[in-house]
Amino acid sequence: AEKIGYPVLVRAAFALGGLGSGFADNPQELRELAVKAFAVSEQILIDQDLRGWKEIEYEVVRDGRDNCITVCNMENFDPLGVHTGDSIVVAPSQTLTNSEYFKLRATSLKVIRSLGIIGECNIQYALNPHSEQYCIIEVNARLSRSSALASKATGYPLAYVATKLCLGKDLVSIRNSVNKTTTACFEPSLDYCVVKVPRWDLAKFSKVSTKLGSCMSSVGEVMAIGKTFEEAIQKAVRMVSGGAAEGLDGCGLTAAETDNLEELLRVPTDRRLTAVQYALESGRCSVEEINRLSGIDRWFLHRLKGLADLKLQVVGLGSLDRIPLPLLRNLKIRGFSDRQIGRFVGSSESVVRRRRLQLGLTPFVQQIDTLAAEFPAQTNYLYMTYLATQHDLTTTVDSSSSSYGSHSSNSGDDRGLASDSFDWVMGSPSRARSKSRLGYFAAVASAQPPVPSSSPSPACGGVMVLGCGAYCIGSSVEFDWCAVSAVRQLRAMGDKAIVVNYNPETVSTDYDESDKLYFEELTLERVLDIYELEKSVGIIVSVGGQIPNNLALPLHQQGVRILGTSPDSIDKAEDRHKFSALLDKIKVDQPQWSELTTRAEAAQFAAKVGYPVLVRPSFVLSGAAMSVACSLQELNSCLQQAADVSPDKPVVISKYILNAKEIEFDAVAQDGVILNYAISEHVENAGVHSGDATLVLPAQKLYVLTVRTVKQVAAQIAMALRISGPFNIQLLARDNTVKVIECNLRASRTFPFISKTFDVNFITLATKVMMGYPCKPYNISLYDYDYVAVKAPMFSFTRLRGADPTLGVEMSSTGEVACFGHDVQEAFLQALLATTFQLPQKDAGKFILVSIAEDKMRAEFQPSLLQLLEMGFQVAATPGTAEYYWEQGRRMAASLRDDDALGPALGGMEGPQGGALLASIVSLSKPTDDDCLHGTHSLRQAQGNAGNMPPVLLSGSPMSPDLGLPQPPVAGRVLDWIRDRTVDLLINIPEGSTRRDEVTSGYLMRRAAVDFGTSLLTNIKCAVLFCDALHRNRPLP
């Protein structure tokens, strides 16, 4: 660093996504970053700081005969300094000169040849924006996340081709899978623009930094395709928001953000794009000023300025009728949505759509053909644009196929579709589908006979399947698995599947998975466009998560046929007020609840039922804005947050029940009769979001009466809502009393888990049901399995600077794993290891650190603590926790009675032996108020003070005068021990603590554990199960 000069970039070797990296301006910051980087890797790299340069990527392919091609080049919207996974990426590059493009291309070919790579590699460049000077940042001799983007952007299947090359094939012998004519030895040519925008969920975390840097923090991404950059980026902004945003707009900044606009432009955050657009729309900054502050290339800024000018022009007109057709066409070419245009002129989306259709202004379907129409393409990989004069596909009029079987009067058949459908949709044999009333849960079924839904029969319109959208917290690969399973089942039955999705990371957006793939938005406007052009027979919304589910009712209101459960039933389940009222009507128990009308009424309800209370908005995924309020002040804050997230939907307040077990009921029903189901239980008590909870399947600790009640409740709900398809119910159980939390009339994120555990694909069954096939109920017995499966969450706290790694009612995990075992202990331990959890060691100088805030939980953990000590682990604790266990140890040593006030303890550990073990606990001083005031700077203090208090046990401790036991030593500071890797495992249970020092010091300990690679447990139930699993000492592979 001294040689090349500060600032420098610190990078951990062999780490994905820039983990452990950062910029250091001086030796002190370098030391801090190096310590954290060494926590994730044994090697670090020190690079020259090139922030402000352009970042360019090339995807290069080479075969064993030395044939080399560059498949795709991409350009980052943000200058170097923001990890490419957190940057907007544009393909092909838009701002390179011809000389720069070919110089970097030639270098790429030289690099792959020099390294002898066979297959595919990714090369990242830094390019000086003021000259043609460039540096190679890194070469990934493997498929990367950029490779997936490049494959979807060009239609060139990089992974497929790379696999063939590794098997000895050459590029000339591999066919172009798109046009079926040329070979794979070609460089794709694009007549469109692709924009990738990352998805962050930073708002879900407390204390998290929103600054973007060299360490990737996004959880997903979207890819938009358009004929222009403006069209593509507007699409992408709508995609990444899940349809909440209308397009790229400067609205949405807070007053504090607008007051600090220059800082928001200068420092990259997840809000910078909005800030750039606000600056352009408001006129507060020119293109030159924004370029100077942000480093974003002027070419991009001028395009964004054009969007701002168009918006101001339309707003100035003030009325939809005053927008002439040429201007309206230009707005659509530039990517403005109907809803966006309606807001500009004080109108609605439906009115704008109606006017647009009256003027004959509709989008055109275009193919991703890899060769810019130089050769005829035979591909089903499609997108839509207004900058065209005709469809890429020929159409035929076939009025006889406009319906898909018989439609009931409320099925939405009267929808005024376009008369043309695409001719290469193949027909399929017709089937006669009979209806059968399935006798499952006989008492309910006989009391309320199911009403058969309409049975579609195959026709050439095809079935649309709406995908999951961007991966985010709450919606990940689980929903993509569901969508792909549904598509494969449709095709297996001979029905044509049309997928609509925009996530380049998914299998559903592989064009060979479906009959047609529309890489398009999941918005009401675009889904209607595709539905009408395709003359689709219906849409499946229940396998893609919350985004498609939220479209069910608006689509239904536009005359679209929704396959499966009725959109009205979906609305009843999603609307908190309607669902709670339904439960009251069918006499199903639930926590006391009230719909919010005013804050005063909310306060009165909370005072009546007693705190804590749960605030729950409607139509949200992963518990967005769901929160627990323990006081009036917290209640007011929670209500405001819920109103911000779901402003036009009801907010319900319910009594929050403590110490209850949470149960998941996943099932498939047909006409209200359950066909197959699975009951799983959470390890954690209720209060941890189901997506963050550890699930056990089959459930191991439920009473027979509880299981029976759960099944009865599920049957009542299924029949009341006339469910036909997948659904999920979450319930609470306490003292054999079962209460319903919520019901989701869609596939849940646990469907892949239960399907793989029971080796029965629940989505296959659900697809048959939604398509109207007769299905028979399964003969289910949850007690006949000789194994247990445990699903454990994975978190990304290491990438979220400053985030508090605790769990609550709002989901924060970004992935999951599942493992099998002979019993729950073995499966749980296997699952923990699969999440990269490191087991503690019994080596000298290694400790398990315990810090529990509440005496009740300390007592619950005491037998587990004795298990750890008996196994030979060394244990340290914070002062309050240590004092509690020392006192228990003195009492245990003084008594040999099993019925002592302590209650039953671990076998053989009731008396002096247990007391001696507890007395061996080492006390560490926890972070001080000064540490809390300095926040993350306390870790610097930990580093600086590490030499003052060596982390070793003090020998020669005085003997206790009353019991003859050695007095517990005090050995140092918590942060020092964590920083020096003396602590192998931190068990920190913050629940129940309302004291300020417990909250702040606990946060600093948890954050230090994450930053320095120390294993962490923050839930008492998981900690107890972990100790029990270790104590069984099962051999692990």
Side-chain angles (χ1 to χ4, degrees), residues 238 243 246 320 332 337-343 346-356 523-528 551 554 558:
R238 287 190 289 272
E246 299 166 349
L320 180 62
K332 301 306 291 185
S337 66
D338 290 346
R339 187 156 63 108
Q340 204 174 4
I341 296 170
R343 179 169 57 84
S347 187
S348 67
E349 179 179 11
S350 60
V351 172
V352 175
R353 178 178 180 82
R354 187 161 54 247
R355 172 69 187 281
R356 177 170 58 78
T523 58
L524 178 63
E525 176 183 344
R526 190 44 39 93
V527 173
L528 282 173
L551 288 172
Q558 292 293 322

Side-chain angles (χ1 to χ4, degrees), residues 264-305:
L264 203 57
L265 293 172
R266 180 168 44 250
V267 179
T269 67
D270 58 336
R271 303 278 286 161
R272 184 155 77 169
L273 182 61
T274 303
V276 168
Q277 201 62 17
Y278 169 80
L280 293 169
E281 291 175 0
S282 64
R284 289 183 53 178
C285 295
S286 66
V287 166
E288 291 298 326
E289 289 173 313
I290 298 174
N291 170 258
R292 176 180 56 83
L293 290 168
S294 67
I296 298 171
D297 192 275
R298 294 178 184 83
W299 188 92
F300 295 120
L301 296 176
H302 279 296
R303 297 302 173 277
L304 300 184
K305 179 67 165 61

Side-chain angles (χ1 to χ4, degrees), residues 405-473:
S406 59
H407 295 267
S408 60
S409 59
N410 63 349
S411 67
D413 189 37
D414 182 18
R415 55 188 188 252
L417 300 183
S419 61
D420 55 330
S421 63
F422 295 113
D423 65 350
W424 50 273
V425 182
M426 298 170 59
S428 54
S430 61
R431 304 183 190 87
R433 298 180 185 175
S434 61
K435 286 289 159 186
S436 62
R437 294 184 178 180
L438 305 171
Y440 187 71
F441 286 21
V444 177
S446 60
Q448 287 185 295
V451 178
S453 59
S454 57
S455 303
S457 58
C460 61
V463 178
M464 289 175 60
V465 179
L466 304 189
C468 61
Y471 287 161
C472 59
I473 292 177

Side-chain angles (χ1 to χ4, degrees), residues 36 141 267 321 384 412 450 506 607 625 634 653 702 837 911 965:
K36 294 182 180 180
V267 179
D321 294 334
M384 304 189 86
T506 58
E634 291 182 8
I653 307 174
L702 297 183
F837 185 94
L965 297 175

Side-chain angles (χ1 to χ4, degrees), residues 973-1033:
R973 287 165 38 100
V974 164
L975 295 184
D976 299 344
W977 279 40
I978 294 175
R979 178 259 175 198
D980 287 328
R981 311 295 295 278
T982 304
V983 175
D984 267 352
L985 168 64
L986 170 62
I987 299 174
N988 175 253
I989 313 298
E991 296 118 304
S993 171
T994 57
R995 294 172 51 192
R996 176 184 173 276
D997 61 336
E998 289 290 353
V999 172
T1000 54
S1001 62
Y1003 161 71
L1004 291 174
M1005 288 188 288
R1006 294 189 295 271
R1007 190 63 238 177
V1010 169
D1011 288 337
F1012 294 107
T1014 299
S1015 296
L1016 174 66
L1017 293 173
T1018 61
N1019 183 273
I1020 186 66
K1021 298 297 182 183
C1022 285
V1024 168
L1025 180 55
F1026 172 75
C1027 295
D1028 187 33
L1030 273 186
H1031 189 257
R1032 289 173 179 254
N1033 196 27

